[in-house]
Amino acid sequence: MHAGRVLPSMEMKLALGPILYYWPRDRVFSFYREIAGSPADVVYLGEVVCSRRHEVAFEDWIAIGRGLAAAGKEVVLSAQALTESEGDLKILRRSTANGIFRVEANDWGAARLLAGTQGWVAGPHLNVYNPATLGMLHELGARRWVAPFEATSVLVSGILGSRPDGMQAELFVHGRIPLAHSARCFTARRFNLQKETCEYRCIDFPDGMALDTRDGQPFLALNGVQTQSANAYCLIGDLREICAARLDLLRISPQSRDTVALLQAWRRALDGELDVLEARHSLRVISTGPLANGFWHGRPGLETV
Amino acid sequence: MLAVNTYPQAATWTRWTAAIDRAAALGANAVIIADAGLMRYASHAHPKLELHLSVQGSATSYEAINFFHQQFGVRRAVLPRVLSAAQVEQVVRHTPVEIEVFGFGGLCVMAEGRCSLSGYACGEAPNTAGACSPAWAVRWKETPGGLESRLNGILIDRYAPAERAAYPTVCKGRYRAGEDTYYAFEEPVSLNTLELLPLFRTIGVRAVKIEGRQRSPAYVAQVTRVWREAIDAMQSGGSSFAVKQDWPARLARHAEGSQCTLGAFSRPWK
């Protein structure tokens, strides 16, 4: 117990990343009602993976956002990571012009549309690897940087060593790691379907579809056009180093169950109310895969250091 | 033309800018860059140096390409191999930047510039190490069950005696989902769009890229010779372009698994 002592980690805010999977509309609405009462400070909304997913419409995201804002959360609309079609661009323009919530850019097209506006977020799917790139984005109005998923501690400190004024930094610390995007849908492919006639099969895999090696090792998870790790990234064991990195927000990725419990465990660990080892144990029990932290340490992502 | 298309980090920044400076001093016609910060450096330090946007910049729309055009004046952009011909045409129509597409070589099934499958498996990926599925991580092993290919110890595939083994990039392996063992991402095939040359010309593509990374001089000579013949034949033959008899055979020798595909340019690819 750290009674009376203010820990630097108590300043750290929790961000809930966008739902990366395809969930039914009712489930999405009920999920965010739960989140309204959770320790998340910032909530990212929107479809980042596939524009064919239609359970939740643009207007629904705005409505959900208003509800969360009323509950005291900061709301950000996340843009799609891989845009290919004119249809994708139309959706992107709606997001960037929404006028109500900040927007997270996840490709250079979004950056072009947001350039010159103030306060947008440079998302994790934008390739920001050095201070020059971040400095440029700052000049174009970005005020928060979300590190790439595979960011090492060296990359983060290299960039934050010359952090532009007013630029916040956010790090992904929990969840299955988005590793790649394609135009091809791998969930559809599993069922011998094409993307355009996919039958929305990804709705059957609310945490992604497990893909093992031929000798039975869990390896990846298919999420439509997005491929993820099977292991769940979790940096709870690296809390001290993360706090020393002068980050402002830690991002947790939603999972089909126990997301609120995840957020609570992280908040309690940051506030010194829960021992890191105990927190790690709780997180391992409720996570969607074995825990790994390789990327932060400059190791293969699937490793636990 | 010099490719400086990997992503510098803070600690190695000056090595990358020195490469740009050297390219300018040597009188290179152009540099191909992926990193936005490096692009900015090049455009400020060497305003006369022509800039091309690398495929590793991962610009898949005209909005993205126009960002680089507006900020840095890029003259040409290489498109990731995820767009259909119709989508490429849409890009060409909405940007003043010349468009280059991949025509031959390895096939990335993920959008280039944002794939860390290899980083997850073995700690090195294109953005951080300039390479995917590096040779040091590859192991081949004969077992009773077949020839195994592993990347950093992870089983990528297992081949029966009659099967032709492929280099174990993560995206070309066979994996298990439920009861199925299959090529979850793509089969080990090469891209070959030779027959699409007239289509590329029609939709306004200005350049075709023949993959040359980690290829031998002999490979480059033989492949580019076929493409040169084909392009010359098309330029002089007008609308009567036809793939000559021996072109596919000469190219097939250099294809992964001797199999070719049109990649994202084929209608049912996605």
Side-chain angles (χ1 to χ4, degrees):
Chain A
M1 251 306 271
H2 301 272
R5 181 146 68 99
V6 176
L7 300 167
S9 52
M10 289 172 174
E11 305 279 299
M12 200 84 85
K13 289 192 197 282
L14 284 181
L16 184 69
I19 299 169
L20 298 175
Y21 310 102
Y22 193 30
W23 297 350
R25 190 169 185 274
D26 289 348
R27 178 65 191 117
V28 173
F29 274 88
S30 68
F31 175 77
Y32 284 111
R33 279 194 292 273
E34 295 168 28
I35 294 302
S38 77
D41 299 291
V42 179
V43 181
Y44 290 81
L45 302 176
E47 181 53 54
V48 172
V49 176
C50 182
S51 55
R52 280 180 58 73
R53 293 170 171 175
H54 54 262
E55 287 280 311
V56 182
F58 184 80
E59 295 75 14
D60 293 327
W61 293 121
I62 300 292
I64 291 168
R66 289 195 198 278
L68 289 166
K73 309 296 185 202
E74 179 200 313
V75 174
V76 181
L77 290 187
S78 289
Q80 193 168 307
L82 181 62
T83 57
E84 302 162 52
S85 67
E86 190 60 35
D88 291 341
L89 294 180
K90 286 197 168 79
I91 296 168
L92 178 61
R93 291 177 195 123
R94 276 192 94 181
S95 292
T96 56
N98 84 91
I100 307 167
F101 302 118
R102 300 168 75 171
V103 179
E104 176 187 72
N106 282 311
D107 86 321
W108 294 107
R112 192 190 89 73
L113 294 168
L114 292 164
T117 68
Q118 286 296 304
W120 54 279
V121 181
H125 300 277
L126 264 187
N127 286 341
V128 180
Y129 288 88
N130 55 69
T133 305
L134 189 61
M136 181 194 77
L137 295 177
H138 180 261
E139 281 179 30
L140 296 175
R143 287 296 176 269
R144 182 180 296 159
W145 167 58
V146 188
F149 295 104
E150 79 272 22
T152 62
S153 60
V154 169
L155 183 146
V156 171
S157 62
I159 290 184
L160 296 186
S162 15
R163 185 204 296 240
D165 281 339
M167 178 70 77
Q168 289 184 315
E170 181 173 321
L171 182 74
F172 175 69
V173 296
H174 200 110
R176 283 185 151 162
I177 315 165
L179 297 173
H181 290 87
S182 174
R184 171 179 276 177
C185 177
F186 302 112
T187 305
R189 181 179 170 85
R190 159 88 202 283
F191 301 106
N192 290 310
L193 298 167
Q194 302 300 138
K195 186 163 86 170
E196 298 308 316
T197 47
C198 65
E199 300 174 7
Y200 310 101
R201 294 293 190 104
C202 54
I203 208 165
D204 295 330
F205 301 96
D207 292 301
M209 184 201 311
L211 196 71
D212 297 350
T213 62
R214 295 179 77 165
D215 56 357
Q217 180 188 353
F219 184 33
L220 299 169
L222 303 180
N223 178 31
V225 299
Q226 181 185 76
T227 302
Q228 304 183 334
S229 62
N231 290 354
Y233 202 48
C234 181
L235 298 187
I236 194 76
D238 304 289
L239 212 46
R240 195 175 304 173
E241 223 190 302
I242 286 171
C243 292
R246 293 162 51 230
L247 296 153
D248 302 285
L249 303 105
L250 303 183
R251 175 178 295 202
I252 283 141
S253 203
Q255 45 185 64
S256 65
R257 288 178 356 193
D258 299 319
T259 301
V260 174
L262 271 184
L263 289 162
Q264 285 167 345
W266 270 92
R267 184 74 263 162
R268 292 185 64 214
L270 288 168
D271 293 344
E273 291 167 18
L274 186 62
D275 176 74
V276 161
L277 283 176
E278 278 181 64
R280 190 174 196 283
H281 175 75
S282 309
L283 293 173
R284 189 170 64 218
V285 169
I286 57 179
S287 290
T288 46
L291 304 184
N293 65 350
F295 281 141
W296 179 249
H297 294 273
R299 300 288 311 158
L302 49 61
E303 281 185 13
T304 303
V305 172
Chain B
M1 211 173 295
L2 187 70
V4 191
N5 63 347
T6 46
Y7 285 88
Q9 297 189 23
T12 51
W13 175 249
T14 52
R15 194 166 7 130
W16 265 255
T17 54
I20 300 292
D21 295 339
R22 214 170 299 133
L26 287 170
N29 293 95
V31 284
I32 304 174
I33 298 175
D35 185 89
L38 190 65
M39 185 86 78
R40 180 183 233 210
Y41 171 81
S43 68
H44 287 177
H46 306 283
K48 291 208 185 65
L49 183 59
E50 186 173 310
L51 302 176
H52 291 195
L53 178 62
S54 168
V55 70
Q56 298 297 328
S58 210
T60 56
S61 73
Y62 59 81
E63 294 283 7
I65 291 167
N66 287 338
F67 173 83
F68 287 93
H69 178 66
Q70 282 160 8
Q71 294 295 322
F72 315 116
V74 298
R75 282 279 302 275
R76 190 181 298 171
V78 186
L79 295 183
R81 283 162 277 195
V82 294
L83 299 182
S84 67
Q87 288 167 345
V88 171
E89 185 174 20
Q90 182 75 340
V91 169
V92 170
R93 271 201 257 117
H94 290 92
T95 180
V97 175
E98 291 178 358
I99 296 303
E100 179 174 321
V101 300
F102 272 83
F104 189 83
L107 183 65
C108 266
V109 64
M110 305 302 178
E112 293 89 327
R114 291 187 285 173
C115 177
S116 17
L117 290 177
S118 178
Y120 182 68
C122 71
E124 285 186 12
N127 287 2
T128 52
C132 164
S133 312
W136 64 260
V138 176
R139 290 288 181 276
W140 296 96
K141 188 171 177 205
E142 282 289 0
T143 74
L147 174 66
E148 292 186 347
S149 62
R150 289 181 184 269
L151 190 70
N152 194 29
I154 298 158
L155 182 63
I156 301 300
D157 207 344
R158 189 188 285 137
Y159 301 93
E163 292 184 304
R164 194 182 159 128
Y167 189 89
T169 52
V170 175
C171 56
K172 304 294 165 53
R174 277 179 288 196
Y175 302 101
R176 276 213 312 245
E179 295 303 311
D180 299 323
T181 297
Y182 69 117
Y183 289 106
F185 304 106
E186 177 58 279
E187 298 174 34
V189 293
S190 285
L191 181 69
N192 181 6
T193 62
L194 193 69
E195 68 196 74
L196 299 183
L197 268 175
L199 176 62
F200 288 162
R201 182 173 58 174
T202 305
I203 64 182
V205 165
R206 294 300 300 274
V208 172
K209 188 183 289 295
I210 309 301
E211 197 194 31
R213 181 187 292 253
Q214 291 173 278
R215 302 288 186 180
S216 69
Y219 171 98
V220 172
Q222 286 161 29
V223 171
T224 54
R225 197 165 293 136
V226 173
W227 277 82
R228 180 78 265 159
E229 284 176 29
I231 290 170
D232 288 347
M234 181 182 67
Q235 311 275 50
S236 59
S239 56
S240 61
F241 176 80
V243 174
K244 289 212 166 42
Q245 283 276 352
D246 70 337
W247 290 341
R250 285 156 69 192
L251 292 177
R253 257 185 260 140
H254 301 287
E256 182 76 50
S258 284
Q259 288 185 80
C260 291
T261 178
L262 293 173
F265 297 124
S266 65
R267 282 315 308 274
W269 187 83
K270 297 175 186 183

